[in-house]
Amino acid sequence: MFGWTRKRAVNDLASRQVQYQDIDDTTLKQYLGGRGLNIKTLYEMTDQETDPLGPDNPLLFAAGPLTGTLVPTNGRYGVTAKSPLTGILGDGNAAGFWAPELKYAGFDQLAIVGKSEEPVYLFVTDGKVEVRDARKLWGKDIWETDITIKEELQDDNVQ
């Protein structure tokens, strides 16, 4: 299928483990777009008892099939979780470099579950995701965080 990587990374912040999953073509066709894929995944990963503010409520990020292509306005992605307000669906979307970079790194979707005892961040690149220590970033603003990570990685192109 055009524009899909067919890959999902499920990141458990409590164990710092990452599980890689294939996403089948049928699912991608039936739930077209990042929002559709997120809603289906949310339905599969939660039930009535899932606490919207608990560590088992997944935070899902997904990009659609046109993301990262030459199609205009292709940089959108969806963010989905069980809503603490309604107890059902909480969904939003945004644009920018993040969605195409997710695709270039080899993923259509990231799922984040669990709760880390320490501050962490996800480093996504070349078909893998690493849960990294972020204690040195704690308390920094976005600009300081960006500079610190780029210096640590010795890469000014990191987004």
Side-chain angles (χ1 to χ4, degrees):
M1 272 178 69
F2 174 73
W4 293 108
T5 67
R6 298 175 183 80
K7 298 289 181 194
R8 170 188 303 123
V10 180
N11 309 277
D12 186 334
L13 300 183
S15 67
R16 295 194 182 193
Q17 297 296 309
V18 180
Q19 179 185 24
Y20 300 100
Q21 301 173 346
D22 293 323
I23 306 170
D24 64 272
D25 284 345
T26 302
T27 297
L28 294 173
K29 287 177 185 176
Q30 289 178 337
Y31 300 92
L32 186 62
R35 183 175 197 220
L37 181 59
N38 275 351
I39 291 170
K40 179 175 184 349
T41 305
L42 182 69
Y43 179 78
E44 293 172 344
M45 293 180 75
T46 63
D47 60 27
Q48 284 182 291
E49 304 305 313
T50 304
D51 179 358
L53 296 175
D56 294 333
N57 184 18
L59 180 60
L60 304 166
F61 297 83
L66 300 179
T67 301
T69 68
L70 296 176
V71 174
T73 68
N74 68 26
R76 300 203 71 81
Y77 62 97
V79 182
T80 306
K82 190 172 181 182
S83 169
L85 180 63
T86 64
I88 308 173
L89 174 67
D91 187 72
N93 71 77
F97 294 111
W98 196 89
E101 292 292 343
L102 177 66
K103 286 290 191 107
Y104 302 152
F107 298 99
D108 288 316
Q109 186 179 49
L110 293 180
I112 302 171
V113 296
K115 178 183 174 186
S116 177
E117 294 296 321
E118 309 275 335
V120 295
Y121 72 94
L122 299 179
F123 181 63
V124 182
T125 186
D126 298 329
K128 63 182 180 181
V129 180
E130 297 173 25
V131 181
R132 294 191 168 188
D133 187 342
R135 285 178 284 191
K136 65 182 165 290
L137 303 173
W138 201 248
K140 293 184 184 295
D141 65 27
I142 187 65
W143 308 111
E144 294 169 315
T145 299
D146 184 59
I147 290 167
T148 303
I149 290 174
K150 286 179 177 180
E151 287 174 351
E152 176 184 314
L153 299 173
Q154 299 178 353
D155 186 352
D156 285 337
N157 294 317
V158 170
Q159 298 281 339

